[in-house]
Amino acid sequence: MTAGTIPVVRCSTSVATPLAARYMAQLCKHFQHRCPVTLGEASGRITFTMGDCALVATDGVLTLALGAPNDAAMTQLQDVVGRHLLRFAFREALALQWQPGGA
């Protein structure tokens, strides 16, 4: 999202995986050539043109919190982030259940 844009639509999901930190880093590194990205040991943020994705990796859980300016942008953001995570985690049977709200 552009600087100064306040997301009005938020959602989040948490997935149990022993590879939470790996997937967080993989997502951030994958998008860093197209989007502004910050990546720390246990958290990251990807700023897309349609919204942003905050990632937190704890022991065995990856949490994704999305923010977008409207429902259409949120749908697109969920699709992009979800597709890439599921592709990276193809050896696991992860299921993303997006819930309204989140950080």
Side-chain angles (χ1 to χ4, degrees):
M1 274 188 325
T2 60
T5 302
I6 299 173
V8 295
V9 181
R10 295 186 181 277
C11 74
S12 62
T13 188
S14 293
V15 291
T17 174
L19 302 174
R22 175 193 274 181
Y23 296 146
M24 178 190 69
Q26 207 169 358
L27 281 166
C28 288
K29 289 175 183 177
H30 177 76
F31 287 110
Q32 73 183 0
H33 67 284
R34 288 185 242 165
C35 308
V37 169
T38 57
L39 177 60
E41 283 187 36
S43 65
R45 178 172 296 276
I46 306 167
T47 304
F48 296 92
T49 57
M50 76 288 251
D52 60 70
C53 175
L55 306 95
V56 176
T58 57
D59 193 27
V61 177
L62 176 62
T63 300
L64 307 168
L66 307 180
N70 56 53
D71 290 333
M74 179 57 73
T75 299
Q76 184 181 9
L77 190 57
Q78 287 173 335
D79 178 61
V80 168
V81 173
R83 251 184 316 111
H84 283 83
L85 176 58
L86 295 177
R87 185 180 329 145
F88 297 149
F90 69 94
R91 288 185 177 94
E92 295 187 61
L94 298 183
L96 301 179
Q97 299 295 320
W98 297 105
Q99 302 298 320

